[in-house]
Amino acid sequence: MPVDEAEALAGGASGERTGRNPGRADAGAETDTAYGAQPKSERDRLMSRVVERDNMQLAYSRVMKNRGAPGIDGMRCEDLKAWLKVNWPQAKRALLDGAYRPQPVRRVDLPKPQGGVRTLGVPTVVDRLIQQALHQAMQPLFEPIFSQSSYGFRPGRSAQQAVSKAAEYIRGGKRWVVDMDLEKFFDRVNHDVLMARVARQVQDKTVLSLIRRFVQAGMMANGVETPRYEGTPQGGPLSPLLSNILLTDLDRELEARNLSFCRYADDCNIYVSSQRAGRRIMEGVKEFLANRLKLTVNESKSAVERPWKRKFLGYSVTAQQASKIRIAKQSIQRLMDAVRQLSIEGKGSSLPQTIEKLNPVLRGWMNYFSLTQSRRPIEELDAWVRRRLRCLVWRQWKRPKTRESRMLALGLDAQRAWKSSVNGRGPWWNAGAKHMIAALPPKFFNQLGLVSLVATHQHLQRSA
């Protein structure tokens, strides 16, 4: 391949098509595809389409947009362009010849809100590029066979659509949910079972061999590489597509039983009319998963229960007959934890600087939870965020004399400013007291540009 083709790959993607549906989970590949559906006779030449210039340029733009941490080789996204100019001709030849060997992934353990850890496998930037190119070439082959009830990591589909459909089932009378949690799904995928399902649509043996090498690539932690005999750790662009390919068998089984369900990656809820039916279905699906897909249901996290007692993709519903969509309590608590952490980190920063860091968190959270039909929790959150910031300001003022002078400057009369500054109460109490609300009212924070969850939600509702 001429060197100028490698330069075009590295340098010609800056203006390429980019974009991410904000409602989709963003840990994974971009799902826009470079090709339409391909006839079966062309699938034997899939690797040629993987390394085609347009597909690789699109993959490059996706990787550069998503950024991400380096893999085990330490190469940053910023270094990829220079690497491609020198090494892409050899890498392309190795891919076409079936000689390419992925590097081990770097292990990263992230704590889960409910306890335990989620293990990510971070590929090198070059391997991420190749996985993204594979994803784009393969998705048109599999998209036509995916279920309409599958919403995760697919073009034009989102978590919000899954939640809306779930609420529709509940309002339609299916007021019991079979909430299934697959035990360590991404860590337990059987490679042979997975590859058999990939091979149903992919006949190119070079591509099949490369995918197997990716899923079997070792995992490195503290300089020690551990062989991988099962699982497809999250962290690479190919992992979400492979999870959908594997779980399509589950979708087809549920459809054959004429069940109402919503699946987002490995998160699957089935909606039924009675507890008895739910328990029967739970047992049948557990048996299917164990026998057909070699997967296990986590008994402690799965249940047949009323949907308003469970959460789905961070949402829940109210118990009324016309069930309203609401934000799950755990999701509200996670936002509060994030705001609390940012306010702690803001002790040495000015209030505008803290608000600048806080705004993207608030805006992103409200964008995701725009479907909520319960206004009171977000009103209470708005008030709580302002109180956290008042608490931060009270701590920063430190001395009674400083507090008195600042409250005077903010419009309190002298007697009230003095009495408030020496009341002996703690920062949190003062942050919710009338004198601090008068000194730092909601209008004050609006002028500093603090994102209002209520105003953001109203805007999203109007533009929906």
Side-chain angles (χ1 to χ4, degrees):
M1 181 185 74
V3 174
D4 63 348
E5 184 175 337
E7 292 176 345
L9 168 60
S14 59
E16 285 293 331
R17 298 147 287 181
T18 60
R20 179 187 293 274
N21 183 336
R24 291 200 295 268
D26 53 19
E30 289 287 349
T31 51
D32 292 346
T33 52
Y35 305 98
Q38 299 287 345
K40 184 176 180 180
S41 61
E42 295 184 12
R43 294 178 195 157
D44 292 338
R45 300 191 297 274
L46 184 58
M47 184 59 82
S48 296
R49 296 200 301 278
V50 171
V51 299
E52 189 179 47
R53 179 186 292 187
D54 287 348
N55 189 52
M56 292 303 302
Q57 285 184 342
L58 181 58
Y60 177 85
S61 69
R62 299 297 190 212
V63 170
M64 294 305 294
K65 179 177 183 290
N66 290 342
R67 313 304 288 180
I72 63 167
D73 60 356
M75 184 189 294
R76 304 169 304 160
C77 289
E78 294 84 351
D79 304 324
L80 181 58
K81 182 175 181 178
W83 187 95
L84 288 169
K85 286 182 178 180
V86 175
N87 298 288
W88 175 240
Q90 296 91 333
K92 179 179 179 180
R93 176 47 52 195
L95 288 165
L96 290 169
D97 292 345
Y100 185 85
R101 296 292 187 274
Q103 295 192 61
V105 295
R106 180 171 61 86
R107 177 171 181 150
V108 177
D109 291 328
L110 300 178
K112 291 183 178 181
Q114 298 87 0
V117 296
R118 174 178 288 107
T119 298
L120 302 184
V122 181
T124 65
V125 177
V126 174
D127 284 344
R128 286 209 296 274
L129 175 70
I130 295 168
Q131 284 194 34
Q132 180 65 44
L134 274 169
H135 185 286
Q136 292 164 185
M138 288 171 58
Q139 181 137 12
L141 303 178
F142 288 94
E143 189 61 31
I145 69 168
F146 286 160
S147 169
Q148 289 297 307
S149 297
S150 167
Y151 294 89
F153 308 107
R154 296 181 59 194
R157 292 183 161 250
S158 68
Q160 284 89 343
Q161 290 174 342
V163 170
S164 295
K165 191 65 178 179
E168 183 182 317
Y169 289 141
I170 296 165
R171 294 184 194 114
K174 298 183 184 297
R175 296 173 67 81
W176 288 89
V177 61
V178 182
D179 185 355
M180 291 189 304
D181 182 273
L182 297 179
E183 188 168 14
K184 296 184 177 179
F185 169 73
F186 286 96
D187 298 333
R188 299 284 174 84
V189 170
N190 182 290
H191 291 165
D192 291 334
V193 172
L194 170 63
M195 292 309 301
R197 278 138 187 86
V198 175
R200 290 172 183 172
Q201 297 295 111
V202 175
Q203 278 72 51
D204 188 330
K205 293 182 179 179
T206 306
V207 171
L208 291 172
S209 177
L210 180 60
I211 294 171
R212 185 176 280 275
R213 287 174 189 155
F214 271 122
V215 299
Q216 291 182 338
M219 182 172 285
M220 186 169 286
N222 301 319
V224 178
E225 181 181 349
T226 304
R228 194 137 47 96
Y229 303 108
E230 62 179 0
T232 59
Q234 301 172 78
L238 200 53
S239 182
L241 177 61
L242 295 179
S243 70
N244 276 334
I245 291 171
L246 180 64
L247 291 175
T248 292
D249 275 24
L250 172 62
D251 297 340
R252 294 298 174 224
E253 176 69 13
L254 299 179
E255 288 170 346
R257 299 185 187 194
N258 199 30
L259 295 173
S260 302
F261 71 98
C262 298
R263 183 177 66 78
Y264 191 98
D266 61 327
D267 201 344
C268 183
N269 278 8
I270 306 168
Y271 297 90
V272 295
S273 301
S274 69
Q275 186 179 35
R276 182 179 177 182
R279 287 174 175 169
R280 184 182 69 250
I281 289 165
M282 174 71 88
E283 292 306 311
V285 173
K286 282 164 55 178
E287 183 179 351
F288 172 85
L289 288 168
N291 294 338
R292 184 75 66 86
L293 300 181
K294 311 301 181 188
L295 295 172
T296 304
V297 171
N298 188 325
E299 300 282 355
S300 64
K301 294 183 179 180
S302 303
V304 177
E305 187 54 273
R306 294 292 194 179
W308 47 88
K309 295 183 179 180
R310 307 292 291 183
K311 66 181 179 69
F312 180 50
L313 301 176
Y315 282 90
S316 190
V317 294
T318 60
Q320 298 106 317
Q321 192 66 34
S323 296
K324 292 183 177 181
I325 298 172
R326 65 176 178 86
I327 304 169
K329 292 180 180 178
Q330 299 94 320
S331 301
I332 293 173
Q333 187 59 52
R334 280 200 287 274
L335 176 66
M336 293 173 72
D337 291 342
V339 171
R340 190 177 288 110
Q341 183 59 38
L342 282 171
S343 65
I344 291 172
E345 294 171 0
K347 285 182 180 179
S349 305
S350 69
L351 187 58
Q353 287 174 328
T354 301
I355 289 174
E356 187 178 355
K357 292 178 182 178
L358 195 56
N359 278 344
V361 176
L362 298 173
R363 191 179 293 112
W365 188 86
M366 196 68 260
N367 281 340
Y368 181 80
F369 289 107
S370 60
L371 291 183
T372 183
Q373 296 171 301
S374 298
R375 182 182 170 116
R376 179 175 291 180
I378 57 177
E379 289 177 335
E380 292 173 350
L381 273 172
D382 261 347
W384 182 86
V385 170
R386 290 192 296 268
R387 186 172 180 179
R388 286 298 311 180
L389 293 175
R390 292 190 193 102
C391 182
L392 172 64
V393 169
W394 186 264
R395 289 180 185 275
Q396 289 178 335
W397 287 346
K398 293 183 180 178
R399 297 183 179 87
K401 201 69 178 174
T402 305
R403 291 167 179 166
E404 180 184 2
S405 64
R406 293 297 173 87
M407 284 187 284
L408 278 170
L410 288 165
L412 269 65
D413 63 70
Q415 180 69 8
R416 189 179 185 189
W418 174 76
K419 287 186 67 175
S420 300
S421 69
V422 294
N423 61 33
R425 300 276 193 165
W428 184 245
W429 184 90
N430 277 284
K434 291 181 180 179
H435 57 269
M436 279 297 281
I437 294 174
L440 303 176
K443 184 179 178 181
F444 173 85
F445 292 105
N446 292 340
Q447 291 171 343
L448 287 178
L450 177 67
V451 166
S452 163
L453 296 175
V454 170
T456 303
H457 182 252
Q458 289 173 339
H459 172 75
L460 292 168
Q461 292 293 303
R462 287 194 298 268
S463 58

